[in-house]
Amino acid sequence: MKKLKVNEMFYSLQGEGKRAGEASIFIRLSGCDQACGFCDTEFESGKEMSPVEIEEFIDQWPGKWIVWSGGEPALQLTEDHIRFFKSQGYKQAIETNGNNRVPDGLDWVCCSPKVAEHVVAKNFPNGVDELRYVRHANQVGCPEPKVKAKEKYLSPMFDGDRINQKNLARVMGLILENPEWKLSLQSHKLLKIL
């Protein structure tokens, strides 16, 4: 099984979306195929690690949910990796930008689209568990996803670790007009936790 280039691993609370507040092991993989100006992660550096080396490291924590994040984890993660960590008793979520298909076998797929909706629809023909869109005050209208999702969230773009009040007001207005959407705040930034 191929090694993964790991940027960092840490144990914390999920900060946003449906699973917010749940204890999770975050494994940030290096590299991304997008260049979003609001990205909060340095994801270029990293260390090549085998799945066994990763599991030996994360075994120190009692949590059993892995969140594959990045960068863009779909650039490296394979079904073999998913099967290996499942065999070790872990549930697995992925946070992806929607530009690539994700491996089968994941327990939760969260897509925060950074590409055109037709690309997301092509990569997720059966839908996703969660859609999460970051919005700012100057964006017009509510997203119109072409992919089905169990959960749909709008998240105001932050200014570093602070809420931008104009962005928050815009997102709240969109949700009040479109009640099929929910608010997701990046609580990990508000609480200043990883």
Side-chain angles (χ1 to χ4, degrees):
M1 195 177 338
K2 76 174 193 174
K3 291 186 175 187
L4 295 167
K5 188 174 180 186
V6 178
N7 177 273
E8 69 176 325
M9 293 181 282
F10 57 93
Y11 186 51
S12 191
L13 301 180
Q14 174 58 268
E16 52 193 322
K18 174 73 173 175
R19 297 188 51 254
E22 292 185 26
S24 298
I25 298 165
F26 291 85
I27 303 176
R28 290 190 194 266
L29 299 181
S30 300
C32 189
D33 54 358
Q34 301 295 308
C36 304
F38 55 84
C39 185
D40 61 357
T41 307
E42 184 285 305
F43 52 78
E44 293 304 320
S45 62
K47 176 183 176 184
E48 297 280 334
M49 297 179 74
S50 72
V52 171
E53 291 171 320
I54 294 170
E55 200 283 323
E56 287 173 351
F57 183 84
I58 67 175
D59 188 53
Q60 67 182 300
W61 300 310
K64 286 298 183 181
W65 263 103
I66 292 173
V67 177
W68 296 102
S69 186
E72 176 47 56
L75 295 174
Q76 295 188 55
L77 205 57
T78 67
E79 289 176 23
D80 288 339
H81 296 121
I82 301 302
R83 278 192 296 272
F84 172 78
F85 286 97
K86 275 194 180 286
S87 75
Q88 302 302 307
Y90 292 97
K91 288 187 174 183
Q92 296 165 83
I94 192 168
E95 297 179 342
T96 180
N97 64 28
N99 200 33
N100 306 277
R101 291 183 185 265
V102 299
D104 289 335
L106 292 157
D107 298 290
W108 191 260
V109 176
C110 173
C111 181
S112 182
K114 309 297 187 296
V115 294
E117 292 295 336
H118 72 276
V119 175
V120 178
K122 176 187 69 129
N123 289 330
F124 300 94
N126 299 319
V128 296
D129 296 295
E130 180 177 326
L131 281 172
R132 198 182 314 142
Y133 289 81
V134 176
R135 307 301 276 181
H136 59 77
N138 297 328
Q139 285 176 302
V140 178
C142 205
E144 296 180 15
K146 295 189 182 325
V147 64
K148 292 181 181 176
K150 296 174 189 169
E151 304 286 338
K152 298 188 329 187
Y153 291 92
L154 297 178
S155 180
M157 187 181 298
F158 274 52
D159 291 333
D161 62 357
R162 291 178 289 126
I163 290 180
N164 177 302
Q165 292 298 322
K166 286 183 181 178
N167 295 344
L168 176 60
R170 178 69 179 137
V171 165
M172 288 174 60
L174 288 172
I175 294 169
L176 290 170
E177 294 167 7
N178 303 275
E180 69 274 18
W181 293 86
K182 298 177 190 173
L183 176 66
S184 178
L185 295 176
Q186 295 176 313
S187 62
H188 54 291
K189 291 182 177 181
L190 292 172
L191 301 172
K192 297 179 179 26
I193 60 175
L194 287 174

